[in-house]
Coordinates of all heavy atoms in Angstrom, one line a residue:
M656 N 12.4 0.3 0.5 CA 11.5 1.0 1.4 C 12.0 2.5 1.6 O 11.2 3.3 1.9 CB 11.4 0.3 2.7 CG 10.3 0.7 3.6 SD 8.7 0.4 2.8 CE 7.7 0.7 4.2
E657 N 13.3 2.7 1.4 CA 13.9 4.0 1.6 C 13.3 4.9 0.5 O 13.0 6.1 0.8 CB 15.4 3.9 1.6 CG 16.1 5.3 1.9 CD 15.8 5.7 3.3 OE1 15.6 4.9 4.2 OE2 15.7 6.9 3.6
T658 N 13.2 4.4 -0.7 CA 12.6 5.2 -1.8 C 11.2 5.6 -1.4 O 10.7 6.8 -1.7 CB 12.6 4.5 -3.1 OG1 14.0 4.1 -3.4 CG2 12.1 5.3 -4.2
A659 N 10.4 4.7 -0.9 CA 9.0 5.0 -0.5 C 9.0 6.1 0.6 O 8.2 7.0 0.5 CB 8.4 3.7 0.1
K660 N 9.9 6.1 1.5 CA 10.0 7.1 2.5 C 10.4 8.5 1.9 O 9.8 9.5 2.3 CB 11.1 6.7 3.6 CG 11.1 7.6 4.8 CD 12.0 7.1 5.9 CE 11.9 7.9 7.1 NZ 12.8 7.4 8.2
Q661 N 11.3 8.4 0.9 CA 11.6 9.7 0.2 C 10.4 10.2 -0.5 O 10.2 11.4 -0.6 CB 12.8 9.4 -0.7 CG 14.1 9.2 0.0 CD 15.2 8.7 -0.9 OE1 14.9 8.3 -2.1 NE2 16.4 8.7 -0.4
N662 N 9.6 9.3 -1.2 CA 8.4 9.7 -1.9 C 7.4 10.3 -1.0 O 6.8 11.3 -1.3 CB 7.8 8.6 -2.7 CG 8.7 8.2 -3.9 OD1 9.5 8.9 -4.4 ND2 8.4 7.0 -4.4
T663 N 7.3 9.7 0.2 CA 6.3 10.2 1.2 C 6.8 11.6 1.6 O 5.9 12.6 1.7 CB 6.3 9.3 2.4 OG1 5.8 8.0 2.0 CG2 5.3 9.8 3.4
Q664 N 8.1 11.8 1.9 CA 8.6 13.1 2.3 C 8.3 14.1 1.2 O 7.9 15.3 1.5 CB 10.1 13.0 2.7 CG 10.6 14.3 3.3 CD 10.0 14.6 4.6 OE1 9.6 13.7 5.4 NE2 9.8 15.9 4.9
Q665 N 8.6 13.7 0.0 CA 8.3 14.7 -1.1 C 6.9 15.1 -1.2 O 6.5 16.2 -1.5 CB 8.8 14.0 -2.5 CG 8.7 14.9 -3.7 CD 9.2 14.3 -4.9 OE1 9.6 13.1 -4.9 NE2 9.1 15.0 -6.0
N666 N 6.0 14.1 -1.1 CA 4.5 14.4 -1.1 C 4.1 15.3 0.0 O 3.3 16.2 -0.2 CB 3.7 13.1 -1.0 CG 3.8 12.3 -2.3 OD1 4.1 12.8 -3.3 ND2 3.5 11.0 -2.2
I667 N 4.7 15.2 1.2 CA 4.4 16.0 2.3 C 4.9 17.5 2.0 O 4.1 18.4 2.2 CB 5.1 15.5 3.6 CG1 4.5 14.2 4.0 CG2 5.1 16.6 4.7 CD1 5.2 13.5 5.1
E668 N 6.0 17.6 1.4 CA 6.6 18.9 1.1 C 5.8 19.6 0.0 O 5.7 20.8 0.0 CB 8.0 18.8 0.7 CG 9.0 18.4 1.8 CD 10.4 18.0 1.4 OE1 10.6 18.0 0.2 OE2 11.2 17.6 2.3
E669 N 5.1 18.8 -0.9 CA 4.4 19.4 -2.0 C 2.9 19.7 -1.6 O 2.2 20.3 -2.3 CB 4.4 18.4 -3.2 CG 5.8 18.3 -3.8 CD 5.8 17.3 -4.9 OE1 4.8 16.6 -5.1 OE2 6.9 17.1 -5.5
N670 N 2.5 19.2 -0.4 CA 1.1 19.4 0.0 C 0.9 20.7 0.7 O 1.3 20.9 1.9 CB 0.7 18.2 0.9 CG -0.8 18.2 1.2 OD1 -1.4 19.2 1.4 ND2 -1.3 17.0 1.4
D671 N 0.3 21.7 0.0 CA 0.1 23.0 0.6 C -0.7 23.1 1.8 O -0.4 23.7 2.8 CB -0.5 24.0 -0.5 CG 0.5 24.3 -1.6 OD1 1.7 24.2 -1.3 OD2 0.0 24.6 -2.7
A672 N -1.8 22.3 1.9 CA -2.7 22.3 3.0 C -1.9 21.8 4.3 O -2.1 22.3 5.4 CB -3.9 21.5 2.8
L673 N -1.1 20.7 4.0 CA -0.4 20.2 5.2 C 0.7 21.1 5.6 O 0.9 21.3 6.9 CB 0.3 18.8 4.7 CG 1.0 18.1 5.8 CD1 0.1 17.7 7.0 CD2 1.6 16.8 5.2
K674 N 1.3 21.8 4.7 CA 2.3 22.8 5.1 C 1.7 23.9 5.9 O 2.2 24.4 6.9 CB 3.0 23.4 3.9 CG 4.1 22.5 3.3 CD 5.0 23.2 2.3 CE 4.3 23.4 1.0 NZ 5.2 23.9 -0.1
Q675 N 0.5 24.4 5.5 CA -0.2 25.5 6.2 C -0.6 25.0 7.6 O -0.4 25.8 8.6 CB -1.4 25.9 5.4 CG -1.1 26.7 4.1 CD -2.3 27.0 3.3 OE1 -3.4 26.7 3.7 NE2 -2.1 27.6 2.2
F676 N -1.1 23.8 7.7 CA -1.5 23.3 9.0 C -0.3 23.1 9.9 O -0.4 23.5 11.1 CB -2.2 21.9 8.8 CG -2.6 21.3 10.1 CD1 -3.6 21.9 10.9 CD2 -2.0 20.1 10.6 CE1 -4.0 21.3 12.1 CE2 -2.5 19.5 11.8 CZ -3.4 20.1 12.5
M677 N 0.8 22.6 9.4 CA 2.0 22.5 10.2 C 2.5 23.8 10.7 O 3.0 24.0 11.8 CB 3.1 21.7 9.5 CG 2.7 20.3 9.1 SD 2.2 19.2 10.4 CE 3.8 19.0 11.2
G678 N 2.5 24.8 9.8 CA 2.9 26.2 10.1 C 2.0 26.8 11.2 O 2.5 27.4 12.1
L679 N 0.7 26.5 11.1 CA -0.2 27.0 12.1 C 0.1 26.4 13.5 O 0.1 27.2 14.5 CB -1.6 26.7 11.6 CG -2.7 27.2 12.6 CD1 -2.8 28.7 12.8 CD2 -4.1 26.6 12.1
L680 N 0.3 25.1 13.5 CA 0.6 24.5 14.8 C 1.9 25.1 15.4 O 2.0 25.4 16.6 CB 0.8 23.0 14.6 CG -0.5 22.2 14.4 CD1 -0.2 20.7 14.1 CD2 -1.5 22.3 15.5
N681 N 2.9 25.3 14.5 CA 4.2 25.8 15.0 C 4.0 27.2 15.5 O 4.6 27.6 16.5 CB 5.2 25.7 13.9 CG 5.7 24.3 13.7 OD1 5.8 23.5 14.7 ND2 6.0 23.9 12.5
R682 N 3.2 28.1 14.8 CA 3.0 29.4 15.2 C 2.2 29.5 16.5 O 2.4 30.5 17.3 CB 2.3 30.2 14.1 CG 3.2 30.6 13.0 CD 2.5 31.6 12.0 NE 1.2 31.2 11.5 CZ 1.1 30.4 10.4 NH1 2.2 30.0 9.8 NH2 -0.1 30.0 10.0
Q683 N 1.4 28.5 16.8 CA 0.6 28.5 18.0 C 1.4 27.9 19.2 O 0.8 27.7 20.3 CB -0.7 27.7 17.8 CG -1.6 28.3 16.8 CD -2.1 29.7 17.2 OE1 -2.4 29.9 18.4 NE2 -2.2 30.6 16.3
G684 N 2.7 27.6 19.0 CA 3.5 27.0 20.0 C 3.2 25.6 20.3 O 3.4 25.1 21.4
M685 N 2.7 24.9 19.3 CA 2.4 23.5 19.4 C 3.4 22.6 18.6 O 3.0 21.8 17.8 CB 0.9 23.3 18.9 CG -0.1 24.1 19.7 SD -1.8 23.9 19.1 CE -2.2 22.3 19.7
G686 N 4.6 22.9 18.7 CA 5.7 22.2 18.0 C 5.6 20.7 18.3 O 5.8 19.9 17.3
E687 N 5.4 20.3 19.5 CA 5.4 18.9 19.9 C 4.2 18.2 19.2 O 4.4 17.1 18.6 CB 5.3 18.7 21.4 CG 5.4 17.3 21.8 CD 5.4 17.1 23.3 OE1 5.7 18.1 24.0 OE2 5.0 16.0 23.8
Q688 N 3.0 18.8 19.2 CA 1.9 18.3 18.5 C 2.1 18.2 17.0 O 1.7 17.3 16.4 CB 0.6 19.1 18.8 CG 0.1 18.9 20.3 CD 0.8 19.8 21.3 OE1 1.8 20.5 20.9 NE2 0.4 19.8 22.5
S689 N 2.8 19.2 16.5 CA 3.1 19.2 15.1 C 4.0 18.0 14.7 O 3.7 17.4 13.7 CB 3.8 20.5 14.7 OG 4.3 20.5 13.4
Q690 N 5.0 17.8 15.5 CA 5.9 16.6 15.3 C 5.1 15.3 15.4 O 5.3 14.4 14.6 CB 7.0 16.7 16.3 CG 8.1 15.6 16.1 CD 8.8 15.9 14.8 OE1 8.9 17.0 14.3 NE2 9.3 14.8 14.2
D691 N 4.2 15.2 16.4 CA 3.4 14.0 16.6 C 2.5 13.8 15.4 O 2.4 12.7 14.9 CB 2.5 14.1 17.9 CG 3.3 14.0 19.1 OD1 4.5 13.6 19.1 OD2 2.8 14.4 20.2
F692 N 1.9 14.9 14.9 CA 1.0 14.7 13.8 C 1.8 14.3 12.5 O 1.4 13.4 11.8 CB 0.3 16.1 13.5 CG -0.5 16.0 12.2 CD1 -1.8 15.5 12.3 CD2 -0.1 16.5 11.0 CE1 -2.6 15.4 11.2 CE2 -0.9 16.5 9.9 CZ -2.1 15.9 10.0
M693 N 3.0 14.8 12.4 CA 3.8 14.5 11.2 C 4.2 13.0 11.3 O 4.2 12.3 10.2 CB 5.1 15.4 11.1 CG 5.9 15.1 9.9 SD 5.0 15.4 8.4 CE 4.7 17.1 8.4
E694 N 4.6 12.5 12.5 CA 4.9 11.1 12.6 C 3.7 10.2 12.3 O 3.8 9.2 11.6 CB 5.4 10.8 14.0 CG 6.8 11.4 14.3 CD 7.2 11.2 15.8 OE1 6.6 10.4 16.5 OE2 8.1 11.9 16.2
L695 N 2.5 10.6 12.7 CA 1.3 9.9 12.4 C 1.0 9.9 10.9 O 0.7 8.9 10.3 CB 0.1 10.4 13.2 CG -1.2 9.8 13.0 CD1 -1.2 8.3 13.4 CD2 -2.3 10.5 13.7
F696 N 1.2 11.1 10.3 CA 1.0 11.2 8.9 C 1.9 10.3 8.1 O 1.5 9.6 7.1 CB 1.2 12.7 8.5 CG 0.8 12.9 7.0 CD1 -0.5 13.2 6.7 CD2 1.8 12.9 6.1 CE1 -0.8 13.4 5.3 CE2 1.5 13.2 4.7 CZ 0.2 13.4 4.4
Q697 N 3.2 10.3 8.5 CA 4.2 9.4 7.8 C 3.8 8.0 8.0 O 4.0 7.2 7.1 CB 5.6 9.8 8.3 CG 6.0 11.1 7.8 CD 7.4 11.5 8.4 OE1 7.8 11.0 9.4 NE2 8.1 12.4 7.7
Y698 N 3.4 7.6 9.2 CA 3.0 6.2 9.4 C 1.8 5.8 8.5 O 1.9 4.7 7.9 CB 2.6 6.0 10.9 CG 2.1 4.7 11.3 CD1 3.1 3.6 11.4 CD2 0.8 4.4 11.4 CE1 2.6 2.3 11.8 CE2 0.4 3.1 11.7 CZ 1.3 2.1 11.9 OH 0.9 0.8 12.2
V699 N 0.8 6.6 8.4 CA -0.3 6.3 7.6 C 0.1 6.2 6.1 O -0.3 5.4 5.4 CB -1.5 7.3 7.8 CG1 -2.6 7.2 6.8 CG2 -2.0 7.2 9.2
A700 N 1.0 7.1 5.7 CA 1.4 7.1 4.3 C 2.2 5.8 4.0 O 2.1 5.2 3.0 CB 2.3 8.3 4.0
G701 N 3.0 5.4 5.0 CA 3.7 4.1 4.9 C 2.8 2.9 4.8 O 3.0 2.0 3.9
M702 N 1.7 3.0 5.6 CA 0.7 1.9 5.5 C 0.0 1.9 4.2 O -0.3 0.8 3.6 CB -0.3 2.0 6.6 CG 0.3 1.8 8.0 SD 1.0 0.2 8.3 CE -0.5 -0.8 8.3
Q703 N -0.2 3.1 3.6 CA -0.9 3.2 2.3 C 0.0 2.6 1.2 O -0.5 1.9 0.4 CB -1.1 4.6 2.0 CG -2.1 4.9 0.9 CD -2.4 6.4 0.8 OE1 -1.7 7.3 1.3 NE2 -3.6 6.7 0.2
L704 N 1.3 2.8 1.3 CA 2.3 2.2 0.4 C 2.3 0.7 0.5 O 2.3 0.0 -0.5 CB 3.7 2.8 0.6 CG 3.9 4.2 0.1 CD1 5.2 4.7 0.6 CD2 3.8 4.3 -1.4
Q705 N 2.3 0.2 1.7 CA 2.3 -1.2 1.9 C 1.0 -1.9 1.4 O 1.1 -3.0 0.8 CB 2.4 -1.6 3.4 CG 3.8 -1.3 4.0 CD 3.9 -1.6 5.5 OE1 2.9 -2.0 6.1 NE2 5.1 -1.4 6.0
L706 N -0.1 -1.2 1.5 CA -1.4 -1.7 1.0 C -1.3 -1.8 -0.5 O -1.8 -2.7 -1.1 CB -2.5 -0.8 1.5 CG -3.9 -1.2 0.9 CD1 -4.3 -2.6 1.4 CD2 -4.9 -0.2 1.4
A707 N -0.7 -0.8 -1.1 CA -0.6 -0.7 -2.6 C 0.3 -1.9 -3.1 O -0.1 -2.6 -4.1 CB 0.0 0.6 -3.1
V708 N 1.4 -2.1 -2.4 CA 2.3 -3.2 -2.7 C 1.6 -4.6 -2.6 O 1.6 -5.4 -3.5 CB 3.6 -3.2 -1.9 CG1 4.4 -4.5 -2.1 CG2 4.4 -2.0 -2.3
M709 N 0.9 -4.7 -1.5 CA 0.1 -6.0 -1.2 C -1.0 -6.2 -2.3 O -1.2 -7.3 -2.7 CB -0.5 -5.9 0.2 CG -1.1 -7.3 0.6 SD -1.7 -7.3 2.3 CE -3.0 -6.0 2.2
T710 N -1.6 -5.1 -2.6 CA -2.7 -5.3 -3.7 C -2.1 -5.7 -5.0 O -2.7 -6.6 -5.7 CB -3.4 -3.9 -3.8 OG1 -4.0 -3.5 -2.6 CG2 -4.5 -4.0 -4.9
D711 N -1.0 -5.2 -5.3 CA -0.3 -5.6 -6.6 C 0.1 -7.1 -6.5 O 0.0 -7.8 -7.5 CB 1.0 -4.7 -6.8 CG 0.6 -3.3 -7.3 OD1 -0.6 -3.1 -7.7 OD2 1.5 -2.4 -7.2
E712 N 0.6 -7.5 -5.4 CA 1.0 -8.9 -5.2 C -0.2 -9.8 -5.3 O -0.1 -10.8 -6.0 CB 1.7 -9.1 -3.9 CG 3.1 -8.5 -3.8 CD 3.8 -8.6 -2.4 OE1 3.2 -9.3 -1.5 OE2 4.9 -8.1 -2.3
L713 N -1.3 -9.4 -4.7 CA -2.5 -10.2 -4.8 C -3.0 -10.3 -6.2 O -3.5 -11.4 -6.6 CB -3.5 -9.7 -3.8 CG -3.3 -10.0 -2.3 CD1 -4.3 -9.3 -1.5 CD2 -3.3 -11.5 -2.0
Q714 N -2.9 -9.2 -6.9 CA -3.3 -9.2 -8.3 C -2.5 -10.2 -9.1 O -3.0 -11.0 -9.9 CB -3.2 -7.8 -8.9 CG -3.7 -7.8 -10.3 CD -5.2 -8.1 -10.5 OE1 -6.0 -7.8 -9.6 NE2 -5.6 -8.7 -11.5
G715 N -1.2 -10.3 -8.8 CA -0.3 -11.2 -9.5 C -0.7 -12.7 -9.1 O -0.7 -13.5 -10.0
V716 N -1.0 -12.9 -7.9 CA -1.4 -14.3 -7.5 C -2.7 -14.7 -8.2 O -2.9 -15.8 -8.7 CB -1.6 -14.3 -5.9 CG1 -2.3 -15.6 -5.5 CG2 -0.2 -14.2 -5.3
K717 N -3.6 -13.7 -8.3 CA -4.9 -14.0 -9.0 C -4.7 -14.4 -10.4 O -5.3 -15.3 -10.9 CB -5.8 -12.7 -8.9 CG -7.1 -12.9 -9.5 CD -7.9 -11.6 -9.3 CE -9.3 -11.7 -10.0 NZ -10.0 -10.4 -10.0
E718 N -3.8 -13.6 -11.1 CA -3.5 -14.0 -12.5 C -2.8 -15.3 -12.6 O -3.1 -16.1 -13.5 CB -2.6 -12.9 -13.1 CG -3.3 -11.5 -13.2 CD -2.4 -10.4 -13.6 OE1 -1.2 -10.6 -13.9 OE2 -2.9 -9.2 -13.6
Q719 N -1.9 -15.7 -11.7 CA -1.3 -17.0 -11.7 C -2.3 -18.1 -11.5 O -2.2 -19.1 -12.2 CB -0.2 -17.0 -10.6 CG 1.0 -16.2 -10.9 CD 2.0 -16.2 -9.8 OE1 1.8 -16.8 -8.7 NE2 3.2 -15.6 -10.0
L720 N -3.2 -17.9 -10.6 CA -4.3 -18.9 -10.3 C -5.1 -19.1 -11.6 O -5.5 -20.2 -11.9 CB -5.1 -18.5 -9.1 CG -4.5 -18.7 -7.8 CD1 -5.4 -18.1 -6.7 CD2 -4.2 -20.2 -7.5
S721 N -5.4 -18.0 -12.2 CA -6.2 -18.0 -13.4 C -5.5 -18.8 -14.5 O -6.1 -19.6 -15.2 CB -6.5 -16.6 -13.9 OG -7.2 -16.6 -15.1
Q722 N -4.2 -18.6 -14.6 CA -3.4 -19.3 -15.6 C -3.4 -20.8 -15.3 O -3.5 -21.7 -16.2 CB -2.0 -18.8 -15.7 CG -1.9 -17.4 -16.4 CD -2.4 -17.5 -17.8 OE1 -2.1 -18.4 -18.5 NE2 -3.1 -16.4 -18.2
L723 N -3.2 -21.1 -14.0 CA -3.2 -22.6 -13.6 C -4.5 -23.2 -13.9 O -4.6 -24.4 -14.3 CB -2.9 -22.7 -12.1 CG -1.5 -22.4 -11.7 CD1 -1.4 -22.4 -10.2 CD2 -0.6 -23.5 -12.3
R724 N -5.6 -22.5 -13.7 CA -6.9 -23.1 -14.0 C -7.1 -23.4 -15.5 O -7.7 -24.4 -15.9 CB -8.0 -22.2 -13.5 CG -8.2 -22.2 -12.0 CD -9.3 -21.3 -11.5 NE -9.4 -21.3 -10.1 CZ -9.7 -20.3 -9.4 NH1 -10.0 -19.1 -10.0 NH2 -9.7 -20.3 -8.1
K725 N -6.6 -22.5 -16.3 CA -6.7 -22.7 -17.7 C -5.8 -23.9 -18.2 O -6.2 -24.6 -19.2 CB -6.2 -21.4 -18.5 CG -7.2 -20.3 -18.3 CD -6.7 -19.0 -19.0 CE -7.6 -17.9 -18.8 NZ -7.1 -16.6 -19.4
T726 N -4.7 -24.1 -17.6 CA -3.8 -25.1 -18.1 C -4.0 -26.5 -17.5 O -3.6 -27.5 -18.0 CB -2.3 -24.7 -17.9 OG1 -2.1 -24.5 -16.5 CG2 -2.0 -23.4 -18.7
S727 N -4.6 -26.5 -16.3 CA -4.8 -27.8 -15.6 C -6.0 -28.5 -16.2 O -7.0 -27.9 -16.6 CB -4.9 -27.6 -14.1 OG -6.1 -27.0 -13.8
P728 N -6.0 -29.9 -16.2 CA -7.1 -30.6 -16.8 C -8.3 -30.4 -15.9 O -8.2 -30.2 -14.7 CB -6.6 -32.1 -16.8 CG -5.4 -32.1 -16.0 CD -4.9 -30.7 -15.8
K729 N -9.5 -30.6 -16.5 CA -10.7 -30.5 -15.7 C -10.8 -31.6 -14.8 O -10.3 -32.7 -15.0 CB -11.9 -30.4 -16.7 CG -11.9 -29.2 -17.5 CD -13.2 -29.1 -18.4 CE -13.2 -27.9 -19.2 NZ -14.3 -27.8 -20.1
R730 N -11.6 -31.4 -13.7 CA -11.7 -32.4 -12.7 C -12.4 -33.7 -13.2 O -12.0 -34.8 -12.8 CB -12.5 -31.8 -11.5 CG -12.6 -32.7 -10.3 CD -13.3 -32.0 -9.2 NE -12.4 -32.3 -8.1 CZ -12.4 -31.7 -6.9 NH1 -13.2 -30.7 -6.7 NH2 -11.6 -32.0 -5.9
S731 N -13.4 -33.5 -14.0 CA -14.1 -34.7 -14.6 C -13.2 -35.5 -15.4 O -13.2 -36.8 -15.4 CB -15.3 -34.3 -15.4 OG -14.9 -33.5 -16.5
Q732 N -12.3 -34.9 -16.2 CA -11.3 -35.7 -17.0 C -10.3 -36.5 -16.0 O -10.0 -37.6 -16.3 CB -10.5 -34.8 -17.9 CG -11.4 -34.2 -19.0 CD -10.6 -33.2 -19.8 OE1 -9.6 -32.7 -19.4 NE2 -11.1 -32.9 -21.0
R733 N -9.9 -35.9 -15.0 CA -9.0 -36.5 -14.0 C -9.7 -37.7 -13.4 O -9.1 -38.7 -13.2 CB -8.6 -35.5 -13.0 CG -7.5 -36.0 -12.1 CD -7.0 -35.0 -11.1 NE -6.7 -33.7 -11.8 CZ -6.6 -32.5 -11.1 NH1 -6.7 -32.5 -9.8 NH2 -6.4 -31.4 -11.7
A734 N -11.0 -37.6 -13.1 CA -11.7 -38.7 -12.5 C -11.8 -39.9 -13.4 O -11.7 -41.0 -13.0 CB -13.1 -38.2 -12.1
L735 N -11.9 -39.7 -14.7 CA -11.9 -40.8 -15.7 C -10.6 -41.5 -15.7 O -10.5 -42.7 -15.8 CB -12.2 -40.2 -17.1 CG -13.6 -39.7 -17.3 CD1 -13.7 -39.1 -18.7 CD2 -14.6 -40.8 -17.1
W736 N -9.5 -40.8 -15.5 CA -8.2 -41.5 -15.5 C -7.9 -42.3 -14.3 O -7.3 -43.3 -14.3 CB -7.1 -40.4 -15.6 CG -7.0 -39.8 -17.0 CD1 -7.5 -38.6 -17.4 CD2 -6.4 -40.4 -18.1 NE1 -7.2 -38.4 -18.7 CE2 -6.5 -39.5 -19.2 CE3 -5.7 -41.6 -18.4 CZ2 -6.0 -39.7 -20.5 CZ3 -5.2 -41.8 -19.6 CH2 -5.4 -40.9 -20.7
I737 N -8.5 -41.9 -13.2 CA -8.3 -42.6 -11.9 C -9.1 -43.9 -11.9 O -8.6 -44.9 -11.5 CB -8.8 -41.7 -10.7 CG1 -7.9 -40.5 -10.6 CG2 -8.8 -42.5 -9.4 CD1 -8.3 -39.5 -9.6
R738 N -10.2 -44.0 -12.5 CA -11.0 -45.2 -12.6 C -10.3 -46.2 -13.4 O -9.9 -47.1 -13.6 CB -12.4 -44.9 -13.1 CG -13.2 -44.1 -12.2 CD -14.5 -43.9 -12.7 NE -15.2 -42.9 -11.9 CZ -16.4 -42.5 -12.1 NH1 -17.1 -42.9 -13.2 NH2 -17.0 -41.6 -11.3

């Protein structure tokens, strides 16, 4: 997760619009609001990373289920064995 935080910080530093906005807030004497906004931005970026990880995990589960369906016997064949 530390790497994700570093990537987020790098993305923030590379974002010109965000840098300009933060500079504007600071020049207007709104340092506290600037800090609050940055914390919110980092929180949202973290949530975005978590969503990406979760999406990848769900894709893996979907693929595993697909493989299980292909390898497991069909339900009708199983019913014949039970009788």
Side-chain angles (χ1 to χ4, degrees):
M656 192 65 165
E657 188 62 34
T658 303
K660 190 173 184 179
Q661 290 170 346
N662 288 342
T663 300
Q664 188 63 33
Q665 183 179 0
N666 289 340
I667 290 169
E668 291 169 0
E669 293 174 357
N670 188 325
D671 288 334
L673 185 58
K674 283 195 286 189
Q675 289 175 2
F676 180 66
M677 299 303 289
L679 178 64
L680 287 176
N681 286 324
R682 284 191 302 277
Q683 296 295 321
M685 301 177 75
E687 186 177 335
Q688 288 83 357
S689 173
Q690 186 66 28
D691 290 346
F692 178 79
M693 186 56 69
E694 288 175 16
L695 179 61
F696 185 85
Q697 289 174 338
Y698 177 78
V699 170
M702 294 298 291
Q703 195 173 23
L704 286 170
Q705 288 179 358
L706 178 60
V708 168
M709 187 175 63
T710 301
D711 289 344
E712 289 177 5
L713 287 173
Q714 184 63 35
V716 169
K717 182 179 176 183
E718 291 171 8
Q719 289 175 354
L720 285 173
S721 176
Q722 290 297 320
L723 285 174
R724 287 184 183 141
K725 289 179 184 176
T726 59
S727 66
K729 292 184 180 177
R730 184 172 228 166
S731 60
Q732 291 175 340
R733 193 178 307 164
L735 291 174
W736 287 101
I737 294 173
R738 291 182 186 177

